[in-house]
Amino acid sequence: MTLLGTASDIKLINDDGLRLDGRGFDELRPIKIEVNVLNRADGSAYIEWGGNKILVGVYGPREAYPKHSQNINKAFVRARYSMAAFSVDERKRPGPDRRSIEISKVVSEALESAIIVEQFPRAEIDVFIEVLQADAGTRIAGLTASSVAVAAAGIPMRDLVVGCTAGKADGQVLLDLSKEEDNFGQADIPFAILPKTGEVVLMQMDGDLTVEEMSKAHSMLDKALKHIYNLQREALSKSFTDVVAQWGE
Ligand code: ADP
């Protein structure tokens, strides 16, 4: 017997149909996005999404290095996802591991779909995603903040990337899984799109969902993504308003 229990004996939905943190099935955790929080980055953003706290710094476009990484047709987008040693309950061993390499790859690819990379041949765009506190859904929160930081750097984009997760825990389809739901649930789907076209730029799936459950998850995601897209745009326009207000002082 373990203190935490197993996936089958953990109750993640209470008798009133609420989740452990009091949310309904299709309810997001609170999200707060701030833009241009780092002076030395070309663009930056900070996101708090539930218990996740993530800082993103963007550098570039700048000449790609080493030279053999240069592409004569487009810029190369290099996202680096990294979790601080103090970001989780047990000290996380610093440095890249298989998980962070995988996340860096899928986030780089998602951002590359949004950025007009053809405008910057031979260049690189570096996106540093520093997870200060992790509480499930960090790849999506990191990607959502990264696209805001890229926009804040003035890099031309087709659209922002907006993401959220859905999944299944305690037999129910749920939006934006918490740490317990992620650990002890039956499925987890990080999902991200370019909202203007609906193009899916990241979708992963851990676990199983039926076709009906998948369509339920999609309609929850659809509503949530519209809300998060508004938060991203509000954060960006607030940063411009703040700059313009300073000019008047
Ligand atoms: P995501 O953060 O995108 O949901 P995972 O599903 O791989 O990615 O991880 C879920 C959560 O598990 C993380 O957000 C974090 O809270 C926790 N976690 C991930 N890696 C570690 C680790 N090495 N040590 C402790 N907790 C971890």
Side-chain angles (χ1 to χ4, degrees), residues 52 81 83 87-92 97 99 103 134-140 165 179 182-183 188 190 206:
N52 294 310
Y81 168 101
M83 281 174 102
S87 63
V88 287
D89 289 338
E90 302 244 327
R91 179 179 180 277
K92 150 93 176 56
D97 51 22
R99 176 176 169 276
I103 297 178
D135 199 29
T138 56
R139 79 193 61 203
I140 282 300
T165 67
K179 179 97 176 358
D182 183 311
N183 286 1
D188 175 23
D206 188 6

Short mmCIF file of all heavy atoms in Angstrom, two decimals, residues 52 81 83 87-92 97 99 103 134-140 165 179 182-183 188 190 206, ligand 1:
data_model
loop_
_atom_site.label_atom_id
_atom_site.label_comp_id
_atom_site.label_asym_id
_atom_site.label_seq_id
_atom_site.Cartn_x
_atom_site.Cartn_y
_atom_site.Cartn_z
N ASN A 52 1.24 26.84 -11.88
CA ASN A 52 2.43 26.95 -12.75
C ASN A 52 2.92 28.40 -12.77
O ASN A 52 2.10 29.32 -12.87
CB ASN A 52 2.09 26.56 -14.19
CG ASN A 52 1.74 25.09 -14.32
OD1 ASN A 52 2.47 24.23 -13.83
ND2 ASN A 52 0.62 24.79 -14.96
N TYR A 81 13.10 24.28 -23.13
CA TYR A 81 12.24 24.16 -21.94
C TYR A 81 13.11 23.66 -20.80
O TYR A 81 13.81 22.65 -20.94
CB TYR A 81 11.13 23.17 -22.26
CG TYR A 81 10.31 22.69 -21.08
CD1 TYR A 81 9.05 23.23 -20.83
CD2 TYR A 81 10.76 21.68 -20.24
CE1 TYR A 81 8.27 22.78 -19.76
CE2 TYR A 81 10.00 21.23 -19.18
CZ TYR A 81 8.76 21.78 -18.96
OH TYR A 81 8.00 21.33 -17.90
N MET A 83 13.20 23.08 -16.37
CA MET A 83 12.54 23.17 -15.07
C MET A 83 13.57 23.47 -13.99
O MET A 83 14.59 22.79 -13.90
CB MET A 83 11.89 21.83 -14.72
CG MET A 83 10.58 21.57 -15.41
SD MET A 83 10.07 19.90 -15.03
CE MET A 83 8.86 20.23 -13.82
N SER A 87 11.31 23.62 -8.77
CA SER A 87 9.98 23.80 -9.37
C SER A 87 8.98 22.71 -9.00
O SER A 87 7.79 22.86 -9.22
CB SER A 87 10.10 23.88 -10.89
OG SER A 87 10.60 22.65 -11.38
N VAL A 88 9.49 21.60 -8.47
CA VAL A 88 8.60 20.47 -8.12
C VAL A 88 8.87 20.06 -6.66
O VAL A 88 9.84 20.52 -6.06
CB VAL A 88 8.83 19.27 -9.07
CG1 VAL A 88 8.25 19.56 -10.44
CG2 VAL A 88 10.30 18.92 -9.19
N ASP A 89 8.02 19.18 -6.11
CA ASP A 89 8.14 18.81 -4.69
C ASP A 89 9.50 18.23 -4.34
O ASP A 89 10.14 18.65 -3.38
CB ASP A 89 7.06 17.78 -4.33
CG ASP A 89 5.68 18.44 -4.31
OD1 ASP A 89 5.65 19.68 -4.14
OD2 ASP A 89 4.68 17.73 -4.48
N GLU A 90 9.93 17.24 -5.12
CA GLU A 90 11.25 16.66 -4.91
C GLU A 90 12.22 17.44 -5.78
O GLU A 90 11.86 17.78 -6.91
CB GLU A 90 11.26 15.20 -5.38
CG GLU A 90 10.22 14.34 -4.71
CD GLU A 90 10.87 13.25 -3.88
OE1 GLU A 90 11.95 12.77 -4.29
OE2 GLU A 90 10.29 12.90 -2.84
N ARG A 91 13.42 17.71 -5.30
CA ARG A 91 14.37 18.49 -6.10
C ARG A 91 14.53 17.86 -7.48
O ARG A 91 14.80 16.67 -7.60
CB ARG A 91 15.72 18.55 -5.39
CG ARG A 91 16.77 19.32 -6.15
CD ARG A 91 18.07 19.34 -5.37
NE ARG A 91 19.09 20.08 -6.09
CZ ARG A 91 19.84 19.56 -7.04
NH1 ARG A 91 19.71 18.29 -7.39
NH2 ARG A 91 20.76 20.30 -7.65
N LYS A 92 14.35 18.67 -8.53
CA LYS A 92 14.53 18.17 -9.90
C LYS A 92 16.00 18.30 -10.25
O LYS A 92 16.60 19.36 -10.05
CB LYS A 92 13.65 19.00 -10.84
CG LYS A 92 14.12 19.18 -12.25
CD LYS A 92 13.55 18.14 -13.18
CE LYS A 92 13.93 18.35 -14.63
NZ LYS A 92 15.34 18.44 -14.94
N ASP A 97 16.75 16.57 -19.74
CA ASP A 97 16.46 15.14 -19.65
C ASP A 97 15.55 14.81 -20.83
O ASP A 97 15.22 15.69 -21.61
CB ASP A 97 15.81 14.79 -18.29
CG ASP A 97 14.62 15.69 -17.98
OD1 ASP A 97 14.05 16.25 -18.93
OD2 ASP A 97 14.27 15.86 -16.81
N ARG A 99 12.44 14.19 -21.10
CA ARG A 99 11.17 14.92 -21.13
C ARG A 99 11.38 16.36 -21.61
O ARG A 99 10.64 16.85 -22.45
CB ARG A 99 10.55 14.87 -19.72
CG ARG A 99 9.28 15.67 -19.60
CD ARG A 99 8.67 15.51 -18.21
NE ARG A 99 7.61 16.47 -18.02
CZ ARG A 99 7.79 17.72 -17.62
NH1 ARG A 99 9.02 18.15 -17.34
NH2 ARG A 99 6.77 18.52 -17.49
N ILE A 103 9.80 18.15 -24.91
CA ILE A 103 8.96 19.35 -24.84
C ILE A 103 9.58 20.48 -25.66
O ILE A 103 8.88 21.19 -26.39
CB ILE A 103 8.71 19.77 -23.36
CG1 ILE A 103 7.93 18.66 -22.65
CG2 ILE A 103 7.98 21.11 -23.28
CD1 ILE A 103 7.65 18.91 -21.18
N ALA A 134 6.06 24.12 -11.13
CA ALA A 134 5.33 23.24 -12.05
C ALA A 134 4.14 22.60 -11.35
O ALA A 134 4.26 22.13 -10.21
CB ALA A 134 6.27 22.16 -12.57
N ASP A 135 3.02 22.59 -12.06
CA ASP A 135 1.81 22.04 -11.44
C ASP A 135 0.88 21.43 -12.51
O ASP A 135 -0.33 21.63 -12.45
CB ASP A 135 1.10 23.17 -10.69
CG ASP A 135 0.12 22.64 -9.65
OD1 ASP A 135 0.36 21.54 -9.14
OD2 ASP A 135 -0.89 23.32 -9.40
N ALA A 136 1.47 20.78 -13.50
CA ALA A 136 0.76 20.13 -14.63
C ALA A 136 0.36 21.14 -15.69
O ALA A 136 -0.13 22.22 -15.39
CB ALA A 136 -0.45 19.34 -14.18
N GLY A 137 0.59 20.74 -16.93
CA GLY A 137 0.26 21.61 -18.07
C GLY A 137 1.35 22.62 -18.36
O GLY A 137 1.10 23.65 -18.99
N THR A 138 2.59 22.34 -17.95
CA THR A 138 3.65 23.34 -18.13
C THR A 138 4.03 23.53 -19.61
O THR A 138 4.41 24.62 -20.01
CB THR A 138 4.92 22.98 -17.35
OG1 THR A 138 5.35 21.68 -17.74
CG2 THR A 138 4.69 23.02 -15.86
N ARG A 139 3.95 22.45 -20.42
CA ARG A 139 4.37 22.63 -21.82
C ARG A 139 3.41 23.59 -22.53
O ARG A 139 3.82 24.41 -23.34
CB ARG A 139 4.49 21.28 -22.55
CG ARG A 139 3.19 20.66 -23.01
CD ARG A 139 3.35 19.22 -23.43
NE ARG A 139 3.82 18.40 -22.31
CZ ARG A 139 4.46 17.25 -22.43
NH1 ARG A 139 4.72 16.77 -23.63
NH2 ARG A 139 4.83 16.58 -21.37
N ILE A 140 2.12 23.45 -22.19
CA ILE A 140 1.11 24.29 -22.83
C ILE A 140 1.18 25.72 -22.29
O ILE A 140 1.11 26.68 -23.05
CB ILE A 140 -0.29 23.64 -22.61
CG1 ILE A 140 -0.47 22.47 -23.58
CG2 ILE A 140 -1.40 24.65 -22.74
CD1 ILE A 140 -0.39 22.85 -25.05
N THR A 165 -4.95 22.04 -22.11
CA THR A 165 -5.04 20.57 -22.09
C THR A 165 -6.47 20.16 -21.75
O THR A 165 -7.22 20.89 -21.10
CB THR A 165 -4.11 19.92 -21.04
OG1 THR A 165 -4.59 20.27 -19.75
CG2 THR A 165 -2.69 20.34 -21.18
N LYS A 179 -2.53 18.67 -11.24
CA LYS A 179 -1.44 17.72 -11.04
C LYS A 179 -1.98 16.32 -10.68
O LYS A 179 -1.53 15.32 -11.23
CB LYS A 179 -0.54 18.27 -9.92
CG LYS A 179 0.62 17.41 -9.56
CD LYS A 179 1.86 17.89 -10.27
CE LYS A 179 3.12 17.14 -9.90
NZ LYS A 179 3.05 16.12 -8.92
N ASP A 182 -3.64 14.76 -13.66
CA ASP A 182 -2.62 14.35 -14.62
C ASP A 182 -1.96 13.06 -14.14
O ASP A 182 -1.81 12.10 -14.90
CB ASP A 182 -1.60 15.50 -14.76
CG ASP A 182 -0.53 15.23 -15.79
OD1 ASP A 182 0.07 14.15 -15.75
OD2 ASP A 182 -0.27 16.10 -16.63
N ASN A 183 -1.60 13.01 -12.87
CA ASN A 183 -0.88 11.84 -12.34
C ASN A 183 -1.75 10.59 -12.24
O ASN A 183 -1.29 9.49 -12.51
CB ASN A 183 -0.34 12.12 -10.94
CG ASN A 183 0.86 13.04 -10.98
OD1 ASN A 183 1.26 13.49 -12.03
ND2 ASN A 183 1.40 13.36 -9.82
N ASP A 188 -4.52 12.44 -20.96
CA ASP A 188 -4.03 13.82 -20.91
C ASP A 188 -3.72 14.23 -22.36
O ASP A 188 -2.98 13.53 -23.05
CB ASP A 188 -2.75 13.83 -20.05
CG ASP A 188 -2.06 15.18 -20.03
OD1 ASP A 188 -2.72 16.20 -20.28
OD2 ASP A 188 -0.84 15.22 -19.73
N PRO A 190 -2.40 17.51 -24.32
CA PRO A 190 -1.98 18.89 -24.58
C PRO A 190 -2.34 19.23 -26.03
O PRO A 190 -2.12 18.42 -26.94
CB PRO A 190 -0.46 18.84 -24.39
CG PRO A 190 -0.14 17.49 -23.85
CD PRO A 190 -1.27 16.59 -24.18
N ASP A 206 -1.73 11.09 -24.06
CA ASP A 206 -1.23 10.10 -23.13
C ASP A 206 -2.49 9.43 -22.57
O ASP A 206 -3.30 10.10 -21.94
CB ASP A 206 -0.48 10.91 -22.04
CG ASP A 206 0.26 10.02 -21.10
OD1 ASP A 206 0.29 8.82 -21.34
OD2 ASP A 206 0.80 10.56 -20.11
P1 ADP B 1 3.18 18.96 -18.44
O1 ADP B 1 3.82 19.80 -17.37
O2 ADP B 1 3.23 19.59 -19.78
O3 ADP B 1 1.79 18.50 -18.06
P2 ADP B 1 3.96 16.22 -17.91
O4 ADP B 1 2.61 15.63 -18.17
O5 ADP B 1 5.17 15.44 -18.36
O6 ADP B 1 4.08 17.66 -18.59
O7 ADP B 1 4.15 16.51 -16.36
C1 ADP B 1 3.06 16.78 -15.54
C2 ADP B 1 3.54 17.38 -14.26
O8 ADP B 1 4.32 16.44 -13.54
C3 ADP B 1 4.47 18.59 -14.40
O9 ADP B 1 3.77 19.80 -14.67
C4 ADP B 1 5.10 18.61 -13.04
O10 ADP B 1 4.23 19.19 -12.07
C5 ADP B 1 5.28 17.12 -12.75
N1 ADP B 1 6.64 16.70 -13.11
C6 ADP B 1 7.17 16.58 -14.33
N2 ADP B 1 8.47 16.20 -14.28
C7 ADP B 1 8.77 16.08 -12.98
C8 ADP B 1 9.95 15.71 -12.25
N3 ADP B 1 11.09 15.41 -12.86
N4 ADP B 1 9.87 15.68 -10.89
C9 ADP B 1 8.71 15.97 -10.26
N5 ADP B 1 7.57 16.34 -10.88
C10 ADP B 1 7.59 16.38 -12.23
#
